Amino acid sequence: MPSDQDIALSHSEASRNSRSTGDDVGFRSEPPSRKSRSCCSFVTLLSIFATIGGFVFGYDIGVIGGVKDMEDFKKLFGEASNTSQLANGTTVQLNHTEWSVSAENQGWIVGSFSLGCLVGALIAGAVSDAMGRRIAILMGAVVFTVGAFVQAIAYFLWMVYLGRIVAGVGVGVFSMSVPVYNAEVSPAEQRGRLVSLNQLSITAGIMVSFLVNLACENYVHGWRISLALQCVFSLLLFFGMLVAPETPRFLMTKHQRIRALTVLNWIRSGQKKLIASDSDVNPAVLEEINSIAEELDQASSQGKPTWSELILTWSAAKRCVCLVCVQILQSTSVLANKIQKNCVS
């Protein structure tokens, strides 16, 4: 039987060990090092640049609602009328001419953007897997800029439709590629926050578009200014992603381990340097890259995924159904309905 003195000594030694390791809940761990803060800042900067794609998505959703109600836009693409219909359905004669875009044309102006988004989202996965998340975002930025430019210089209604469709393709690519990019460059402890930046950026884009329309509505060709500003945001995204690295996970899928190590070491340390072998990186980076390699090996051992697995495999099907329901509920929410009502009314 140990004596009371032995028990006291063992408790004292355990207390000293817990102080040195910081495992005891009563003691704080050491503050983050400068290298750790550098990693957080650099990864956050990368994510902010990438989520400009979400910002232009929100901006384009919100801007068209104000643009189609601007007087200059209605005179160019609308029809003149000397009558007005009241809320109770009564038609009254006016002493002046009013211009308005027909409900059918308004529907096509708004809906053509969603059509482009559908196309962009369908092709984004293939482009992202074949050429990289960064390249997909760059291509989306180019396509969106072209679409926004065509909208801003439009003198015919078909140019508005075309610009909206092309811009929608770019936004569809953003909606697929930006969250993946953010997830793959983020450390595990920050991944949720940085991926959610995309949704925050969409909301911010909607808000900014309302403010821009408010500032431009009384100017001649103010609608062109509102639409042309989209090009500024997409070009900012383009030039920002030009200097951004590809994600380590994508590089590992292409069997480029040294490049993946170089990029991962860069985004984790904030310092860009050439890596020649595994011994040139710290153990944490090496552990993370090995974890990515194990996940990819495990995925490849299960064979190439097919679309039928989303329906025929219960574990995949229930996840797919849950995600689809989330998107449907999000689109039918009160806020989403108010935004869409503003766009088409």
Side-chain angles (χ1 to χ4, degrees):
M1 288 288 292
S3 64
D4 293 342
Q5 185 178 5
D6 292 336
I7 295 175
L9 286 173
S10 64
H11 278 296
S12 177
E13 184 178 354
S15 179
R16 286 196 300 270
N17 289 338
S18 65
R19 286 188 179 92
S20 62
T21 59
D23 292 336
D24 190 84
V25 294
F27 297 93
R28 293 182 178 274
S29 58
E30 292 183 1
S33 64
R34 180 178 300 178
K35 183 178 291 187
S36 175
R37 290 194 296 267
S38 176
C39 161
C40 294
S41 300
F42 186 58
V43 170
T44 302
L45 182 62
L46 286 177
S47 298
I48 289 173
F49 263 112
T51 51
I52 296 176
F55 182 89
V56 296
F57 187 2
Y59 187 92
D60 205 308
I61 289 174
V63 76
I64 199 65
V67 161
K68 65 181 180 53
D69 289 331
M70 292 186 185
E71 199 63 29
D72 196 48
F73 185 88
K74 292 190 290 186
K75 286 181 179 179
L76 186 59
F77 301 114
E79 301 171 350
S81 175
N82 292 321
T83 61
S84 178
Q85 191 171 25
L86 301 179
N88 59 7
T90 305
T91 301
V92 296
Q93 192 73 25
L94 301 176
N95 296 324
H96 59 279
T97 301
E98 283 192 353
W99 296 84
S100 63
V101 179
S102 68
E104 180 183 358
N105 287 337
Q106 287 189 43
W108 277 107
I109 290 171
V110 176
S112 57
F113 177 74
S114 298
L115 178 62
C117 288
L118 174 63
V119 175
L122 289 174
I123 66 175
V127 173
S128 181
D129 288 341
M131 305 179 69
R133 291 63 163 123
R134 171 177 169 270
I135 297 299
I137 296 174
L138 286 170
M139 292 176 64
V142 172
V143 172
F144 182 87
T145 303
V146 172
F149 181 75
V150 171
Q151 292 179 69
I153 65 170
Y155 275 95
F156 303 98
L157 205 52
W158 65 265
M159 294 179 69
V160 179
Y161 297 153
L162 178 63
R164 296 284 292 167
I165 292 173
V166 174
V169 172
V171 163
V173 174
F174 291 151
S175 65
M176 292 288 291
S177 303
V178 169
V180 174
Y181 183 89
N182 283 355
E184 293 187 354
V185 299
S186 305
E189 63 271 14
Q190 289 185 290
R191 192 163 295 143
R193 285 174 291 180
L194 295 181
V195 171
S196 65
L197 277 178
N198 189 59
Q199 188 62 41
L200 178 63
S201 296
I202 294 174
T203 309
I206 295 172
M207 181 191 70
V208 170
S209 70
F210 291 166
L211 296 176
V212 170
N213 281 339
L214 183 63
C216 296
E217 64 179 351
N218 294 322
Y219 289 93
V220 177
H221 299 307
W223 65 273
R224 296 187 187 275
I225 299 173
S226 293
L227 294 175
L229 276 177
Q230 298 176 106
C231 298
V232 177
F233 302 131
S234 59
L235 288 175
L236 181 62
L237 170 63
F238 177 81
F239 288 112
M241 293 305 296
L242 274 181
V243 298
E246 184 54 82
T247 68
R249 188 179 184 88
F250 171 77
L251 294 174
M252 288 295 290
T253 63
K254 299 302 180 182
H255 309 290
Q256 301 179 27
R257 182 182 175 87
I258 297 300
R259 281 191 63 194
L261 274 171
T262 302
V263 170
L264 189 59
N265 185 70
W266 178 17
I267 61 180
R268 293 295 178 263
S269 67
Q271 297 177 351
K272 188 177 182 180
K273 66 176 183 178
L274 184 62
I275 303 298
S277 65
D278 290 1
S279 59
D280 293 335
V281 298
N282 64 59
V285 171
L286 189 59
E287 182 182 356
E288 186 172 352
I289 207 73
N290 287 335
S291 175
I292 294 173
E294 290 175 6
E295 291 174 4
L296 293 176
D297 289 341
Q298 183 179 3
S300 62
S301 67
Q302 297 174 356
K304 187 176 181 180
T306 60
W307 286 101
S308 61
E309 291 180 11
L310 294 177
I311 303 174
L312 301 179
T313 307
W314 169 243
S315 61
K318 64 182 180 180
R319 291 177 175 85
C320 181
V321 171
C322 287
L323 290 172
V324 170
C325 289
V326 167
Q327 295 297 320
I328 292 174
L329 291 173
Q330 178 181 331
S331 299
T332 56
S333 66
V334 175
L335 178 59
N337 283 331
K338 285 183 178 296
I339 293 172
Q340 291 300 323
K341 183 178 180 181
N342 176 71
C343 289
V344 298
S345 61

